[in-house]
Every structure is written in C-alpha cells, then in structure tokens.
Amino acid sequence: MPDPREPAELVTAAAGGDRTAWDELEARYGPRMWAVARASGLSPSDAADAVQGSWLRLLQHLHTLRDPAKVGGWLMTTVRREAHAFLRKRHDVSPFDHDLLTLEAVDDPDPASAVLEADGRRLLWKQVSALHEPCRTLIQLVAIDLGNRQMAARLGMPVGSVGPTKARCLEKLRTLISSQETAQ
C-alpha cells in the first residue's frame, strides 16, 4: 500500500534516515525519472546512470531543498539535466541518434528503414514533450508499460479516469504529429 504522506513529509523523513520514506520516494518518482531519461534519448545503460545520478543529487541536497513539497519536479528537472549532460559528452550526436547507432543489422537490414524509424521516434518524443500535463507524463508512463492502477497512483487520479484520459491524450498526440507532418 502506498505511503499516504505528502512529498514534503517524505523528504523530511528520508533526511532523518527513514528508509521507508526513501523507498516511497523511489516508488513514486522512479518510473517517471526513467521515462524522462529514455525520452531524452539515452540508451538504457546511460538512462540508468542518469537516474542513479539524480538520486545521488537528491541524497546530497535532501537537507537543503528549497521546497520539499516539489521534490517530484526537482527530480524530473535533475534527471533531464543529467540526461543532457550525457548527451553533451557524446558531442554532436543528437538526443535520438543513439537509435541509429544501436540498431543491429539483423533487426532491419535496410538502412533507409532504420533512418526513417529513428526519425519517427525522434518526432514522436518531440511531440510528447510538447504536450501539457497530465498528458506528457501519462504518455511517458504508457511508454514504460505501467498498468492503469500504477498510472492512476502516479498521476493522482481515479483508476477509472486513466482510460478516458489516455484516449484524449493520445488523440492530442495524434493531432500534434499530424499537424507536424502536414507542415513538412
């Protein structure tokens, strides 16, 4: 059962050494952090490093957070910065070019198809990042294949609202992608 404490209470308890509070922070925000890292274009291993680095930063700043109630936003910003740092280290490689570098010839022997597929993924995640909340987070949670109950808990909404909200968000995403394709 999820810990009913508010984020600020969890941060304070974690700073005081409460392991269950730390575990609850990880359960609440970990999947979204992974989604942000992967949506930034990191490989699974780089995403793991970015997420781990973000948790380390939280541990380092646990006692000095300006607004502990906004720890979720702080973590998402931190993991996004960590992801961008990884991407900068790779120099001029675009955030989504790793898809081209990691494709195996057996998966798709046609280089043109591989390029088109990578371009499609880049466009998709660019449009997802343009969505407003809760759609942006919901689509990211769909991408990491969370069930409706877990999504509802993460988004703070009733389980019965997830399906209709998901349908509306996917329609908004379709519209954004369609208008982008029409403009090209």
Side-chain angles (χ1 to χ4, degrees):
M1 181 171 169
D3 192 317
R5 292 183 281 185
E6 294 295 318
E9 294 174 278
L10 289 170
V11 168
T12 302
D18 181 347
R19 178 64 193 193
T20 60
W22 185 263
D23 290 343
E24 180 61 23
L25 287 168
E26 194 282 326
R28 283 188 193 180
Y29 302 113
R32 276 198 321 215
M33 292 169 69
W34 272 93
V36 167
R38 292 292 286 147
S40 296
L42 294 180
S43 68
S45 62
D46 286 347
D49 289 344
V51 170
Q52 183 179 5
S54 299
W55 285 117
L56 179 59
R57 300 250 184 288
L58 177 61
L59 186 59
Q60 291 168 338
H61 297 350
L62 209 50
H63 298 286
T64 59
L65 287 180
R66 264 186 271 157
D67 191 352
K70 295 182 180 177
V71 67
W74 188 94
L75 283 165
M76 296 317 123
T77 299
T78 303
V79 78
R80 198 172 293 112
R81 288 179 180 162
E82 290 281 324
H84 290 297
F86 273 95
L87 294 171
R88 277 193 305 275
K89 286 179 190 172
R90 290 194 343 217
H91 303 292
D92 296 330
V93 177
S94 125
F96 296 94
D97 284 349
H98 79 279
D99 292 329
L100 292 174
L101 301 175
T102 59
L103 287 174
E104 294 182 25
V106 218
D107 291 337
D108 193 352
D110 179 17
S113 292
V115 169
L116 289 173
E117 187 177 318
D119 192 49
R121 281 192 298 272
R122 182 196 53 75
L123 173 65
L124 171 68
W125 288 112
K126 180 180 178 185
Q127 297 306 326
V128 168
S129 67
L131 291 170
H132 295 291
E133 293 297 343
C135 287
R136 180 177 37 236
T137 300
L138 190 138
I139 299 295
Q140 291 171 343
L141 294 174
V142 167
I144 61 172
D145 201 25
L146 283 187
N148 282 0
R149 287 188 192 279
Q150 291 172 310
M151 281 190 248
R154 301 274 188 247
L155 296 167
M157 66 173 50
V159 175
S161 296
V162 172
T165 304
K166 188 187 318 181
R168 284 191 299 276
C169 293
L170 287 170
E171 185 55 38
K172 287 178 185 177
L173 183 59
R174 271 188 219 98
T175 302
L176 280 173
I177 290 171
S178 181
S179 66
Q180 179 67 30
E181 288 173 344
T182 305
Q184 290 179 347

